[in-house]
Amino acid sequence: MSRPIRTLAAAAAAIALVSACNSASTNGTSPGGSGDAPGNTRGVTADSIKVGGIVSMTTASGYSKKDTDLGAKARYLRANAEGGVHGRKIEYLGAEDDGQDPAKNMAAARKLVQQDKVFAVSPMSSVTFSGADFLEQEKVPTFGWGTLPSFCGPKYIYGFNGCLVPTPGGTLNQTWPEGIGQILGGAQGKSVAIIANDSDAGKFGIRTFQQGFTSAGFKVSYAKASVPGTAVPSDWSAYVKEILSSNDGKAPDAVVSVMQTPNNIGLFTALKRSGYQGLLSDPTDYDPGLLAQDATRQALDGIHVLLQFQPFESADPKMAQFKADIKAAAGGKDVPLNMHMLTGYMSADLFVSIAQKAGKGLTVESFQAAAQGFSDTGTLVGDRALPKGQKDSFGCGALVQLKNGAYEVSVPFKCYEPIPFK
């Protein structure tokens, strides 16, 4: 991934929000404090806004979210082509690779703030977010996919489709259980097994989805965050055996994996070889690039994938705009679309939308004030509202199924009534 695109006027460039600096603005006062005034704000000049991102470009398992960076770049390129944010072009530094490593995530956050002196971090896309407390302390507006607890509660951290891992007092998005219930002809009398990695994200995923599926009327026969998060198992037989006997000695009606593609391929392949005929679902394998490999395509065939945005197959004009923006950012080439691109794109879109509302005199304080009363409708993730989104999900989503080498919408995009999280 190339390093900073220094001037986006010439490159028509992009942005990925980044962080604030340790010493804040040029006079040494802290970000957002009394020295945070127009002309004296970290990462903001008369004609530019400096931003950066943190993305798991490389991982031990081979799984990559690198296209998150392309998605952010695409949205920022369009913002700059349309005149920038109140005349300021977005100077996108690209995304730092945290390697899905907590130490590298923290190092990336520190670099963006202390060395690069960015105004914001967007996107932040990883299964680890050890830099969250640092970015919050430094008052750095940060945007990403709200699948980690750090996106739920802090003042300066925002999920592009809200808080998806709420704390008690928040709500749960019911897209997944309600959608699977529709496919199965109703949840009553149906059972589901939920499996995740042994990580913070995995444990929170089990906790939330167990409650969500139970509330929708399912019997949750199995719910464990037991798969190692650092390496993909070579033998899935122990997991398969437990799952297939979890429903009072029988197989559950559905198996839901809260894991990434390499783990899903291994688990689903093992389940199919065991003769399992039930529904299989995960939240990560919506990636046309996966279809290029026969083995991968076969392993994931039939899988229903959870989306928290409009499917690429949608006829929504905003989806057409997204596709055109991605093509422009890819140098005019048609590239396979994936959910990582949309993660980066919508993270950038929320940042740009709030920055526009903040007005010409952009400061951390004015940005935060704009965020607190922000709302819009009909986006690719549904209706957005803040500060609601820092506690609750926006509640929208869809399901697609990989079938005969292509994705088909199995449950159309819809917004569901959230439930209280206990």
Side-chain angles (χ1 to χ4, degrees), residues 334-373:
D334 288 313
V335 294
L337 303 174
N338 60 53
M339 63 193 305
H340 303 306
M341 293 176 187
L342 202 134
T343 295
Y345 187 90
M346 293 308 297
S347 297
D349 183 77
L350 184 55
F351 168 74
V352 169
S353 298
I354 296 172
Q356 290 282 10
K357 184 181 178 184
K360 179 67 175 177
L362 181 63
T363 65
V364 173
E365 185 177 45
S366 70
F367 186 92
Q368 288 297 107
Q372 290 308 296

Short mmCIF file of all heavy atoms in Angstrom, two decimals, residues 334-373:
data_model
loop_
_atom_site.label_atom_id
_atom_site.label_comp_id
_atom_site.label_asym_id
_atom_site.label_seq_id
_atom_site.Cartn_x
_atom_site.Cartn_y
_atom_site.Cartn_z
N ASP A 334 -12.20 -2.05 -13.56
CA ASP A 334 -13.27 -2.77 -12.87
C ASP A 334 -12.62 -3.80 -11.94
O ASP A 334 -11.91 -4.70 -12.41
CB ASP A 334 -14.19 -3.48 -13.87
CG ASP A 334 -15.06 -2.50 -14.64
OD1 ASP A 334 -15.66 -1.62 -14.01
OD2 ASP A 334 -15.14 -2.62 -15.88
N VAL A 335 -12.82 -3.64 -10.65
CA VAL A 335 -12.23 -4.56 -9.69
C VAL A 335 -13.35 -5.27 -8.93
O VAL A 335 -14.44 -4.71 -8.75
CB VAL A 335 -11.32 -3.82 -8.68
CG1 VAL A 335 -10.11 -3.23 -9.40
CG2 VAL A 335 -12.08 -2.71 -7.97
N PRO A 336 -13.12 -6.51 -8.51
CA PRO A 336 -14.15 -7.22 -7.74
C PRO A 336 -14.47 -6.47 -6.46
O PRO A 336 -13.57 -6.07 -5.71
CB PRO A 336 -13.50 -8.58 -7.44
CG PRO A 336 -12.43 -8.74 -8.47
CD PRO A 336 -11.93 -7.36 -8.73
N LEU A 337 -15.72 -6.25 -6.20
CA LEU A 337 -16.14 -5.53 -5.00
C LEU A 337 -16.14 -6.46 -3.79
O LEU A 337 -16.35 -7.66 -3.92
CB LEU A 337 -17.54 -4.96 -5.20
CG LEU A 337 -17.73 -4.03 -6.39
CD1 LEU A 337 -19.20 -3.66 -6.54
CD2 LEU A 337 -16.88 -2.77 -6.24
N ASN A 338 -15.89 -5.90 -2.61
CA ASN A 338 -16.00 -6.69 -1.39
C ASN A 338 -16.42 -5.79 -0.24
O ASN A 338 -16.41 -4.57 -0.34
CB ASN A 338 -14.69 -7.44 -1.08
CG ASN A 338 -13.50 -6.52 -0.89
OD1 ASN A 338 -13.54 -5.58 -0.10
ND2 ASN A 338 -12.43 -6.78 -1.62
N MET A 339 -16.79 -6.43 0.88
CA MET A 339 -17.33 -5.68 2.00
C MET A 339 -16.29 -4.78 2.65
O MET A 339 -16.63 -3.77 3.27
CB MET A 339 -17.91 -6.65 3.04
CG MET A 339 -16.93 -7.58 3.67
SD MET A 339 -17.75 -8.92 4.58
CE MET A 339 -18.80 -8.02 5.69
N HIS A 340 -14.99 -5.12 2.51
CA HIS A 340 -13.96 -4.26 3.08
C HIS A 340 -13.95 -2.89 2.40
O HIS A 340 -13.74 -1.87 3.05
CB HIS A 340 -12.60 -4.94 2.97
CG HIS A 340 -12.55 -6.28 3.60
ND1 HIS A 340 -12.92 -6.49 4.92
CD2 HIS A 340 -12.19 -7.50 3.13
CE1 HIS A 340 -12.78 -7.76 5.22
NE2 HIS A 340 -12.35 -8.40 4.15
N MET A 341 -14.15 -2.89 1.09
CA MET A 341 -14.23 -1.62 0.38
C MET A 341 -15.35 -0.76 0.94
O MET A 341 -15.19 0.45 1.15
CB MET A 341 -14.48 -1.87 -1.11
CG MET A 341 -13.35 -2.53 -1.86
SD MET A 341 -13.84 -2.87 -3.56
CE MET A 341 -12.41 -3.82 -4.13
N LEU A 342 -16.51 -1.38 1.18
CA LEU A 342 -17.63 -0.61 1.68
C LEU A 342 -17.41 -0.15 3.12
O LEU A 342 -17.83 0.93 3.51
CB LEU A 342 -18.93 -1.40 1.56
CG LEU A 342 -20.15 -0.48 1.56
CD1 LEU A 342 -21.14 -0.86 0.47
CD2 LEU A 342 -20.83 -0.50 2.90
N THR A 343 -16.70 -0.97 3.91
CA THR A 343 -16.34 -0.56 5.27
C THR A 343 -15.53 0.74 5.25
O THR A 343 -15.81 1.68 6.00
CB THR A 343 -15.52 -1.66 5.97
OG1 THR A 343 -16.34 -2.82 6.14
CG2 THR A 343 -15.01 -1.21 7.32
N GLY A 344 -14.51 0.78 4.40
CA GLY A 344 -13.70 1.99 4.29
C GLY A 344 -14.48 3.15 3.73
O GLY A 344 -14.37 4.30 4.20
N TYR A 345 -15.30 2.87 2.73
CA TYR A 345 -16.08 3.91 2.05
C TYR A 345 -17.07 4.56 3.01
O TYR A 345 -17.17 5.80 3.08
CB TYR A 345 -16.82 3.27 0.88
CG TYR A 345 -17.56 4.20 -0.04
CD1 TYR A 345 -16.92 4.76 -1.15
CD2 TYR A 345 -18.90 4.52 0.17
CE1 TYR A 345 -17.60 5.59 -2.03
CE2 TYR A 345 -19.58 5.36 -0.70
CZ TYR A 345 -18.93 5.89 -1.80
OH TYR A 345 -19.61 6.72 -2.66
N MET A 346 -17.80 3.75 3.76
CA MET A 346 -18.82 4.30 4.65
C MET A 346 -18.21 4.94 5.90
O MET A 346 -18.79 5.87 6.47
CB MET A 346 -19.85 3.25 5.02
CG MET A 346 -20.71 2.79 3.85
SD MET A 346 -21.49 4.15 2.91
CE MET A 346 -22.57 4.88 4.15
N SER A 347 -17.05 4.47 6.34
CA SER A 347 -16.34 5.14 7.42
C SER A 347 -15.97 6.56 6.97
O SER A 347 -16.17 7.54 7.69
CB SER A 347 -15.09 4.36 7.81
OG SER A 347 -15.39 3.09 8.30
N ALA A 348 -15.43 6.64 5.76
CA ALA A 348 -15.05 7.94 5.20
C ALA A 348 -16.28 8.82 4.96
O ALA A 348 -16.25 10.03 5.20
CB ALA A 348 -14.28 7.74 3.90
N ASP A 349 -17.35 8.21 4.50
CA ASP A 349 -18.57 8.96 4.19
C ASP A 349 -19.14 9.62 5.45
O ASP A 349 -19.57 10.79 5.41
CB ASP A 349 -19.62 8.03 3.58
CG ASP A 349 -20.88 8.77 3.18
OD1 ASP A 349 -20.85 9.44 2.13
OD2 ASP A 349 -21.88 8.68 3.91
N LEU A 350 -19.15 8.89 6.57
CA LEU A 350 -19.67 9.47 7.80
C LEU A 350 -18.78 10.62 8.27
O LEU A 350 -19.26 11.67 8.71
CB LEU A 350 -19.79 8.41 8.88
CG LEU A 350 -20.43 8.85 10.20
CD1 LEU A 350 -21.80 9.48 9.98
CD2 LEU A 350 -20.53 7.68 11.18
N PHE A 351 -17.47 10.44 8.16
CA PHE A 351 -16.55 11.52 8.54
C PHE A 351 -16.78 12.77 7.70
O PHE A 351 -16.90 13.88 8.21
CB PHE A 351 -15.10 11.07 8.40
CG PHE A 351 -14.12 12.21 8.49
CD1 PHE A 351 -13.84 12.80 9.69
CD2 PHE A 351 -13.51 12.71 7.35
CE1 PHE A 351 -12.96 13.88 9.78
CE2 PHE A 351 -12.63 13.77 7.42
CZ PHE A 351 -12.36 14.36 8.65
N VAL A 352 -16.85 12.58 6.38
CA VAL A 352 -17.04 13.72 5.48
C VAL A 352 -18.36 14.42 5.77
O VAL A 352 -18.43 15.66 5.81
CB VAL A 352 -17.00 13.25 4.01
CG1 VAL A 352 -17.47 14.36 3.07
CG2 VAL A 352 -15.59 12.82 3.62
N SER A 353 -19.41 13.65 6.02
CA SER A 353 -20.73 14.22 6.26
C SER A 353 -20.74 15.08 7.52
O SER A 353 -21.33 16.17 7.54
CB SER A 353 -21.77 13.11 6.37
OG SER A 353 -21.85 12.37 5.16
N ILE A 354 -20.08 14.60 8.58
CA ILE A 354 -20.03 15.38 9.82
C ILE A 354 -19.15 16.61 9.64
O ILE A 354 -19.47 17.70 10.11
CB ILE A 354 -19.53 14.51 10.98
CG1 ILE A 354 -20.53 13.38 11.26
CG2 ILE A 354 -19.34 15.36 12.25
CD1 ILE A 354 -20.03 12.37 12.27
N ALA A 355 -18.01 16.43 8.95
CA ALA A 355 -17.10 17.56 8.73
C ALA A 355 -17.79 18.66 7.93
O ALA A 355 -17.59 19.86 8.19
CB ALA A 355 -15.84 17.08 8.02
N GLN A 356 -18.60 18.28 6.96
CA GLN A 356 -19.35 19.28 6.20
C GLN A 356 -20.29 20.06 7.11
O GLN A 356 -20.41 21.29 7.02
CB GLN A 356 -20.16 18.60 5.08
CG GLN A 356 -19.34 18.04 3.94
CD GLN A 356 -18.87 19.11 2.95
OE1 GLN A 356 -19.01 20.30 3.19
NE2 GLN A 356 -18.30 18.66 1.85
N LYS A 357 -20.95 19.36 8.01
CA LYS A 357 -21.88 20.02 8.92
C LYS A 357 -21.15 20.94 9.91
O LYS A 357 -21.71 21.93 10.37
CB LYS A 357 -22.68 18.97 9.69
CG LYS A 357 -23.75 19.59 10.59
CD LYS A 357 -24.52 18.55 11.37
CE LYS A 357 -25.52 19.23 12.29
NZ LYS A 357 -26.25 18.28 13.16
N ALA A 358 -19.88 20.60 10.23
CA ALA A 358 -19.12 21.39 11.20
C ALA A 358 -18.82 22.79 10.70
O ALA A 358 -18.52 23.70 11.49
CB ALA A 358 -17.82 20.67 11.55
N GLY A 359 -18.87 22.99 9.39
CA GLY A 359 -18.68 24.33 8.83
C GLY A 359 -17.24 24.66 8.49
O GLY A 359 -16.33 23.83 8.62
N LYS A 360 -17.04 25.89 8.07
CA LYS A 360 -15.73 26.33 7.58
C LYS A 360 -14.69 26.35 8.69
O LYS A 360 -13.54 25.98 8.49
CB LYS A 360 -15.87 27.73 6.96
CG LYS A 360 -14.57 28.31 6.44
CD LYS A 360 -14.05 27.55 5.23
CE LYS A 360 -12.81 28.22 4.65
NZ LYS A 360 -12.24 27.46 3.52
N GLY A 361 -15.07 26.78 9.88
CA GLY A 361 -14.10 26.88 10.97
C GLY A 361 -13.92 25.54 11.66
O GLY A 361 -14.33 25.35 12.81
N LEU A 362 -13.31 24.60 10.97
CA LEU A 362 -13.19 23.23 11.48
C LEU A 362 -12.19 23.12 12.62
O LEU A 362 -11.02 23.45 12.48
CB LEU A 362 -12.77 22.28 10.35
CG LEU A 362 -12.62 20.80 10.74
CD1 LEU A 362 -13.95 20.22 11.20
CD2 LEU A 362 -12.06 20.00 9.57
N THR A 363 -12.68 22.66 13.76
CA THR A 363 -11.86 22.32 14.91
C THR A 363 -12.39 21.02 15.48
O THR A 363 -13.48 20.57 15.10
CB THR A 363 -11.93 23.39 16.02
OG1 THR A 363 -13.27 23.42 16.54
CG2 THR A 363 -11.55 24.77 15.49
N VAL A 364 -11.64 20.40 16.36
CA VAL A 364 -12.14 19.20 17.01
C VAL A 364 -13.44 19.51 17.75
O VAL A 364 -14.40 18.74 17.72
CB VAL A 364 -11.09 18.61 17.98
CG1 VAL A 364 -11.68 17.45 18.79
CG2 VAL A 364 -9.86 18.14 17.22
N GLU A 365 -13.48 20.67 18.38
CA GLU A 365 -14.67 21.05 19.14
C GLU A 365 -15.88 21.25 18.22
O GLU A 365 -16.98 20.77 18.52
CB GLU A 365 -14.40 22.34 19.92
CG GLU A 365 -15.55 22.75 20.83
CD GLU A 365 -15.21 23.98 21.65
OE1 GLU A 365 -14.65 24.94 21.08
OE2 GLU A 365 -15.47 23.98 22.87
N SER A 366 -15.69 21.93 17.09
CA SER A 366 -16.82 22.15 16.18
C SER A 366 -17.25 20.84 15.52
O SER A 366 -18.44 20.62 15.25
CB SER A 366 -16.46 23.19 15.11
OG SER A 366 -15.51 22.68 14.18
N PHE A 367 -16.29 19.97 15.26
CA PHE A 367 -16.61 18.66 14.69
C PHE A 367 -17.47 17.85 15.66
O PHE A 367 -18.49 17.26 15.29
CB PHE A 367 -15.32 17.89 14.38
CG PHE A 367 -15.54 16.59 13.65
CD1 PHE A 367 -15.52 16.54 12.27
CD2 PHE A 367 -15.78 15.41 14.35
CE1 PHE A 367 -15.74 15.33 11.59
CE2 PHE A 367 -16.00 14.21 13.70
CZ PHE A 367 -15.98 14.18 12.31
N GLN A 368 -17.07 17.83 16.93
CA GLN A 368 -17.83 17.09 17.93
C GLN A 368 -19.22 17.66 18.13
O GLN A 368 -20.19 16.93 18.31
CB GLN A 368 -17.07 17.08 19.26
CG GLN A 368 -15.82 16.20 19.27
CD GLN A 368 -16.16 14.74 19.06
OE1 GLN A 368 -15.93 14.18 18.00
NE2 GLN A 368 -16.74 14.11 20.07
N ALA A 369 -19.33 18.97 18.07
CA ALA A 369 -20.64 19.61 18.22
C ALA A 369 -21.55 19.22 17.06
O ALA A 369 -22.75 18.95 17.25
CB ALA A 369 -20.48 21.13 18.29
N ALA A 370 -20.99 19.18 15.85
CA ALA A 370 -21.77 18.78 14.68
C ALA A 370 -22.21 17.32 14.78
O ALA A 370 -23.32 16.95 14.41
CB ALA A 370 -20.96 19.00 13.41
N ALA A 371 -21.32 16.47 15.30
CA ALA A 371 -21.62 15.04 15.43
C ALA A 371 -22.78 14.80 16.38
O ALA A 371 -23.61 13.90 16.17
CB ALA A 371 -20.39 14.27 15.90
N GLN A 372 -22.85 15.59 17.44
CA GLN A 372 -23.86 15.35 18.46
C GLN A 372 -25.29 15.58 17.97
O GLN A 372 -26.24 15.06 18.54
CB GLN A 372 -23.58 16.22 19.69
CG GLN A 372 -22.35 15.80 20.46
CD GLN A 372 -22.38 14.32 20.81
OE1 GLN A 372 -23.23 13.87 21.57
NE2 GLN A 372 -21.43 13.55 20.26
N GLY A 373 -25.45 16.33 16.91
CA GLY A 373 -26.79 16.54 16.38
C GLY A 373 -26.94 16.03 14.96
O GLY A 373 -27.84 16.45 14.24
#
